[in-house]
Amino acid sequence: MDDLVTARLVLHPMSPGDAERVLAGEPDSSTRWAPGYPTDGDVAGARRFLGVCASTGDPQPFGAYEIRLREDGQAIGGTGFHGPADHSGSVTIGYGLIPSVQGKGYASEALRALLAFARARGITCVQGDTYRDNIASQRVMTAAGMEQFAEDERLTYYKITWPDASALADPRA
């Protein structure tokens, strides 16, 4: 699978071997990690990805991605899907960055790329969540077109939906 490339980022699809290296905290000789990578969130994402691989096989293209800077190739965070689409065409996403690069628009850029990627592959709904006090992440999802649809004592839930392919094909829909 090819990298997803944006103006400033490369979203590199993780292989199970890449995820194992994140869990071990040791890059291979061809990968550059920025100081602070991987975060606890990256490790949790790699563990989730490996769990999906073990239970259903490699979910790519709906798997995990390493967020890298285009300018120097350094890994600065992770993003991706929590697994393949469900029966209704819905996927769940997550993302995170090392603290030193937060607030520079990278999360928004990565999320927009993932949303466009999902939409182009027939996904009808993308969901995500964030802690209620994580205002920055809420702004990222809102700026990307996602809308809040639920909240509980811990999390705020967001989603974006598009018409399914059959509705697009029928002009009466």
Side-chain angles (χ1 to χ4, degrees):
M1 162 132 185
D2 293 332
D3 292 341
L4 302 177
V5 180
T6 69
R8 301 179 298 162
L9 303 172
V10 173
L11 305 184
H12 177 72
M14 291 184 87
S15 68
D18 294 331
E20 291 286 353
R21 284 186 283 282
V22 167
L23 288 179
E26 297 185 14
D28 66 16
S29 61
S30 66
T31 305
R32 298 181 59 210
W33 288 356
Y37 181 83
T39 66
D40 290 345
D42 296 310
V43 171
R47 188 173 291 115
R48 180 185 307 110
F49 173 67
L50 289 171
V52 170
C53 289
S55 65
T56 63
D58 190 339
Q60 292 297 7
F62 296 108
Y65 292 78
E66 198 169 62
I67 301 172
R68 298 177 179 173
L69 295 173
R70 275 185 73 175
E71 67 185 7
D72 62 11
Q74 285 192 42
I76 59 168
T79 190
F81 304 94
H82 292 186
D86 67 15
H87 67 283
S88 67
S90 180
V91 293
T92 302
I93 53 92
Y95 54 87
L97 297 169
I98 59 174
S100 64
V101 300
Q102 292 175 359
K104 297 180 181 186
Y106 294 137
S108 295
E109 192 170 326
L111 179 57
R112 284 187 181 107
L114 273 187
L115 293 176
F117 178 82
R119 179 66 181 122
R121 278 148 188 80
I123 297 300
T124 58
C125 179
V126 176
Q127 298 184 41
D129 61 62
T130 185
Y131 290 110
R132 288 181 62 175
D133 64 350
N134 190 341
I135 304 303
S137 186
Q138 293 170 27
R139 287 183 179 146
V140 165
M141 286 190 267
T142 300
M146 299 178 79
E147 296 179 350
Q148 180 181 339
F149 72 93
E151 187 173 66
D152 61 28
E153 62 282 343
R154 213 174 114 239
L155 300 172
T156 303
Y157 301 88
Y158 288 80
K159 71 179 174 180
I160 187 169
T161 57
W162 302 285
D164 66 26
S166 62
L168 292 174
D170 184 356
R172 296 170 290 161

